Amino acid sequence: MGPLSPTRTMRLWGPRSLGVALGVFMTIGFALQLWGGPFQRRLPGLQLRHSWASTPGPAVPSCLPRQRLVFLKTHKSGSSSVLSLLHRYGDRHGLRFALPARYQFGYPKLFQASRVKGYRPQGGGTQSPFHILCHHMRFNLKEVLQVMPSDSFFFSIVRDPAALARSAFSYYKSTSSAFRKSPSLAAFLDNPRAFYQPGARGDHYARNLLWFDFGLPFPPEMRTKRGNPHPPRDPNPPQLPSGVGLRAHTLDPNALFHPVPTAADGHSQTSSAAFLDLRSSSFIQWNLAWLDSVFDLVLVAEYFDESLVLLADALCWGLDDVVGFMHNAQAGGGQGGSAVGDGGLTAEDRQLSARARAWNNLDWALYVHFNRSLWARIKQYGQSRLDSAVAELRARREALAKHCLVGGEALDPKYITDRRFRPFQFGSGKVLGYVLQSGLSLQDQEECERLATPELQYKDKLDAKQFPPTVSVPLKTSRLPSP
């Protein structure tokens, strides 16, 4: 590994090391405020350009495509759709994936390099380099850098905790003891302490799941002996301003750390310090600053297509490389696609969203932070340029869906008889999938299959490609001549 830039050097300072240093500052009493302010083949008739440069120019690439990638696949955030893009890109370009032995890297334990299939520690013999690390893990930078070079492109995706909570409750109800004991999400959020047990099996799904997936430490006041967060003494949530459809990038981060009026039982009351005091606020900002030093881009599920445009731009990829179908979406749910804002919701739904954000306060901090950074990048990219690229991406996706898919959309799994395309069913909701049109040309069939293949089947396909099974042929025993 060559010399590291200052930013990459900071990557090696994990959040736990930062937490120790932060504890020193806390002991001093926080006299100073820390971290202030802050298909390559095209289908017939669907010829679309690869680039969306703001002004026409010669078809000469101004950059080289990035092909060393680390994607932190967070849970219930639209990450399976991003994974599908990476599977297809790597498969098409013959890239080598860092694959788990099964489908996850020992989750919920922190990532360990030894869990990568075919990995050999330094000095353990020659091995071909890995290009893409992208399957479920709990992030652990030190171990990731044992597998991937430090100049890899690191990225992830976040989702509004209110939407994530709804999806997680449905998907992980049989896995999380807290969700399993609760009759509904509303009942759970009304009194989380009645159901949530720190350290209980699967309960990391029930609170601050994004923060957990990023491998971050929890603030001292939320820590238990087992290192898991526990609920605050007073879970009364602050409420977003009523009657205002807030765009995600205009949310006030101060709402994370200061009491605000909330409605409960029809009366106005002042929330207790259910969010975080100054020390916790600084602790969060410290960890967010560390994430900024590690991740080159964090996508936002509610602005999925906008995020894909920025991803393609950052990676110097073509439009076809980021056009795909949604994967692992639940019937009646969806993954992102709508901006944060409570204007169109009922009062009950607004209250449920507010309680979900308050209970998942660390995830809310993550979300607001990366929402802000996304819109800063959009401003730099250019809003009109972005709008044009998003419209082109959506037109391309719609055309591909009509060409490849029966009905042009995702279907109930009962209609999917081909096991290659039937998504894994888990949780209380049905996970939708795709059925391919008949009569496709061989070339179109290949590309449409790539687009429609669910993540588990695609992982198996890549595994077989990278580690072809060895066929042992029994040796023929020659017959000895008779004496």
Side-chain angles (χ1 to χ4, degrees), residues 20 52 54 140 145 150 159 209 276 285 348 365 376 453:
V20 172
W52 44 77
S54 55
N140 181 0
L145 292 177
S150 63
R159 186 182 187 184
L209 180 54
L276 302 165
Q285 294 305 316
E348 183 179 358
T453 301

Side-chain angles (χ1 to χ4, degrees), residues 340-355:
V340 171
D342 295 338
L345 300 178
T346 64
E348 183 179 358
D349 285 336
R350 286 197 299 270
Q351 182 68 10
L352 184 69
S353 293
R355 289 188 180 276

Side-chain angles (χ1 to χ4, degrees), residues 128-166:
S128 301
F130 295 110
H131 297 93
I132 302 176
L133 174 64
C134 59
H135 293 86
H136 270 312
M137 62 175 163
R138 188 178 182 205
F139 192 67
N140 181 0
L141 179 62
K142 181 179 178 181
E143 290 291 311
V144 167
L145 292 177
Q146 297 296 317
V147 179
M148 300 296 296
S150 63
D151 61 350
S152 299
F153 186 90
F154 284 67
F155 70 111
S156 188
I157 185 169
V158 296
R159 186 182 187 184
D160 176 12
L164 193 154
R166 291 179 171 92

Side-chain angles (χ1 to χ4, degrees), residues 240-241 243-252 303 339-343 357:
L240 295 178
V244 179
L246 293 177
R247 292 192 65 176
H249 62 289
T250 62
L251 293 173
D252 181 7
Y303 298 97
V340 171
D342 295 338
R357 292 166 183 153

Side-chain angles (χ1 to χ4, degrees), residues 94-137:
L95 304 184
R96 193 164 183 261
F97 288 81
L99 298 171
R102 291 182 59 79
Y103 300 105
Q104 299 184 0
F105 291 107
Y107 188 89
K109 295 180 180 179
L110 288 167
F111 174 82
Q112 296 291 323
S114 59
R115 292 188 177 273
V116 175
K117 191 172 182 178
Y119 166 75
R120 298 186 187 93
Q122 294 180 1
T126 59
Q127 79 174 9
S128 301
F130 295 110
H131 297 93
I132 302 176
L133 174 64
C134 59
H135 293 86
H136 270 312
M137 62 175 163

Side-chain angles (χ1 to χ4, degrees), residues 363-422:
D363 280 7
W364 182 236
L366 272 175
Y367 182 79
V368 170
H369 178 79
F370 288 121
N371 226 345
R372 186 190 299 116
S373 66
L374 179 84
W375 285 94
R377 292 181 78 123
I378 287 175
K379 183 177 180 180
Q380 184 179 19
Y381 185 88
Q383 186 67 56
S384 61
R385 182 183 173 209
L386 179 84
D387 292 342
S388 175
V390 167
E392 189 173 349
L393 183 148
R394 290 173 177 169
R396 175 67 171 161
R397 180 190 294 136
E398 183 179 358
L400 288 173
K402 289 180 179 179
H403 187 84
C404 291
L405 306 176
V406 170
E409 62 182 1
L411 300 175
D412 187 290
K414 67 182 180 181
Y415 299 112
I416 306 172
T417 57
D418 191 332
R419 296 181 63 181
R420 296 176 302 161
F421 307 117
R422 195 176 196 277

